[in-house]
């Protein structure tokens, strides 16, 4: 069961492990209730399974085991001391994160053939528990950090930075960012720095948590760090740290090393097997389980990817460099030099790699954990199949799915994008020619068009002049024909109940 011994915990062990995640005001009362009611680890695991059954409509706070632990404290003042966790999530979502953190931290992982618990790899003094989160909701584009324009190298064009895509299916184990003189991040930059990700080998997690991300050549514990990711984009002999705004890109497992391709140029993670039974690198589960019932899985794979914040204006941008990724023709360098199949439906190919030349400008804010029912090799194959289906990719012809929404490609005067400017409360979702259409600026229109041509689900366009907030384009049926709406402009924030802020867009 995930190599996790929660089932074996008696009341004393459960109280010790569970209450360390709670606000201080709740630790004593909840520990007392656990002992008085003799709540054991197997009781908690049974509750989690009950709540995670497909179709379950129950809430944790209504479950008998939950009441035995919390009950009176749920409505008391103690929870008000946990505002950062409760304010951004519903109470039940907060509890799902709370219990999934308990499972993940107590799970066994095999790293370099040695079995350890996650809480042994990521020590408690580095953890920031109140910012843990399990992302089970739908994929969404959310503004994060100051908006800025980055120019991708190799003629990759302009990109609006300052957003992230909600990492559906991942859990964040949050880390403390301790201000010191080694980082430009002094604790007040959360609203400004850009969110990104850094993939790593499982055996490097503990070192990065304790020492931060450093360039190759830096010395840690008497050992000089070696480059594991090649040197794509390196200039003037300056070593770089790679990050990506695309979580899936940072999670890519490089599986074709030694086949004559440029696979050593990209970031990667190594497979880590959850469960004590999964000790061989080629062992995998074919059960097809999702997170909701993975607590009952005998063996399943997991990945570690670091969530990071990067100081705006201090990184360079370049495109995809994974030579093994499907492409039409030869590898000629980072996208757009190479005609790659789009890597992601939420991050343009020319914006997949950020190169940071000074370690002071990047901090680790969390460890992202994803549990998979198949090996990372198979996960990559599934991702390739999904992107190939969306784009109609052909190795000889490239992407073949037509891009002719509104105006055929090759129009003599090019194309432009417009949004429905009906007043609030009016028919803002009408695609009729008689609607009040307003054209985006040339740069914004070009960005939308590039995303459209790359079969994106979202593109972040920032805050237009005079707008109330940042926006993103959701391409709807032009991304996936099974979507229920056409291309729309939407606010790029966490509020998904925003029917009054949706506007039709046309090409």
């Amino acid at each position: 069961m995930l190599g996790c011994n929660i089932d074996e915990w008696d009341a004393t062990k459960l109280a010790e492990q569970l209450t360390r995640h709670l606000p201080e005001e709740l630790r004593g009362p909840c520990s007392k209730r656990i002992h008085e009611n003799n709540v054991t680890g197997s009781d908690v695991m049974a509750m989690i399974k009950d709540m995670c059954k497909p179709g379950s409509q129950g809430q944790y706070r209504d479950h008998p085991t939950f009441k035995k632990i919390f009950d009176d404290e749920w409505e008391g003042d103690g929870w008000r001391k946990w505002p950062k966790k409760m304010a951004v999530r519903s109470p039940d979502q907060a509890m799902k994160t709370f219990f999934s953190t308990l499972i993940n931290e107590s799970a066994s992982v095999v790293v370099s053939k040695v079995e350890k618990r996650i809480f042994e790899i990521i020590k408690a003094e580095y953890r920031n528990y109140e910012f843990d989160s399990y992302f089970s909701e739908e994929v969404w584009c959310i503004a994060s950090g100051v908006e800025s324009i980055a120019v991708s190298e190799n003629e990759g064009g302009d990109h609006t930075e300052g957003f992230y895509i909600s990492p559906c299916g991942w859990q964040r184990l949050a880390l403390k960012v301790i201000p010191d003189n080694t980082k430009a991040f002094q604790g007040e930059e959360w609203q400004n720095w850009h969110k990104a990700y850094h993939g790593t080998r499982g055996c490097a997690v503990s070192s990065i948590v304790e020492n931060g991300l450093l360039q190759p050549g830096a010395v840690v514990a008497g050992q000089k760090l070696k480059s594991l990711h090649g040197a794509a984009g390196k200039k003037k002999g300056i070593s770089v740290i790679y990050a990506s705004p695309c979580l899936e890109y940072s999670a890519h497992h490089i599986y074709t090393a030694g086949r004559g391709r440029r696979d050593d140029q990209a970031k990667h993670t190594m497979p880590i097997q959850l469960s004590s039974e999964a000790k061989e690198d080629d062992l995998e589960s074919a059960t097809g389980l999702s997170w909701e019932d993975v607590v009952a899985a005998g063996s399943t794979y997991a990945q570690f990817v670091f969530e990071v914040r990067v100081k705006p204006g201090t990184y360079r941008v370049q495109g995809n460099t994974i030579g093994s990724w499907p492409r039409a023709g030869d590898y000629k360098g980072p996208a757009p030099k190479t005609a790659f199949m789009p890597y992601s439906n939420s991050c343009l190919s020319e914006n997949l790699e950020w190169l940071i030349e000074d370690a002071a400008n990047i901090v680790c804010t969390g460890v992202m954990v994803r549990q998979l029912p198949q090996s990372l090799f198979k996960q990559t194959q599934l991702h390739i199949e999904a992107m190939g289906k969306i784009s109609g990719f052909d190795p000889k012809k490239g992407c073949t799915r037509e891009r002719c929404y509104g105006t055929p490609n090759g129009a003599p005067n090019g194309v432009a994008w417009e949004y429905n400017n009906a007043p609030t409360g009016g028919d803002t979702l009408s695609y009729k020619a008689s609607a009040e259409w307003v054209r985006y600026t040339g740069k914004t229109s070009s960005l939308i068009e590039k995303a459209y041509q790359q079969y994106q689900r979202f593109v972040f366009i920032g805050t237009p002049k005079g707008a109330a907030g940042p926006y993103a384009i959701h391409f709807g049926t032009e991304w996936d024909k099974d979507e229920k709406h056409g291309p729309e402009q939407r606010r790029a924030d966490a509020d998904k109940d925003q029917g009054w802020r949706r506007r039709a867009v046309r090409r």
Side-chain angles (χ1 to χ4, degrees), residues 21 47 74 80 106 149 192 271 279 286 311 320 324 344 353 355 374 390 405 436 457 460 476:
H21 296 277
M47 175 182 65
W74 177 255
R80 298 174 188 171
S106 304
I149 300 297
N192 299 324
K279 293 183 180 292
K311 185 176 181 179
N320 185 359
S324 60
S344 166
E353 295 193 3
L355 287 65
Q374 62 271 324
I390 288 292
Y405 172 60
E436 182 184 346
R457 183 177 186 177
F460 181 69

Side-chain angles (χ1 to χ4, degrees), residues 261-281:
R261 297 181 180 180
R262 298 168 65 96
D263 302 312
D264 60 334
Q265 294 183 341
K267 301 164 289 301
H268 62 280
T269 59
M270 292 294 287
I272 307 167
Q273 289 81 39
L274 281 172
S275 95
S276 56
E277 298 91 343
K279 293 183 180 292
E280 299 298 327
D281 284 345

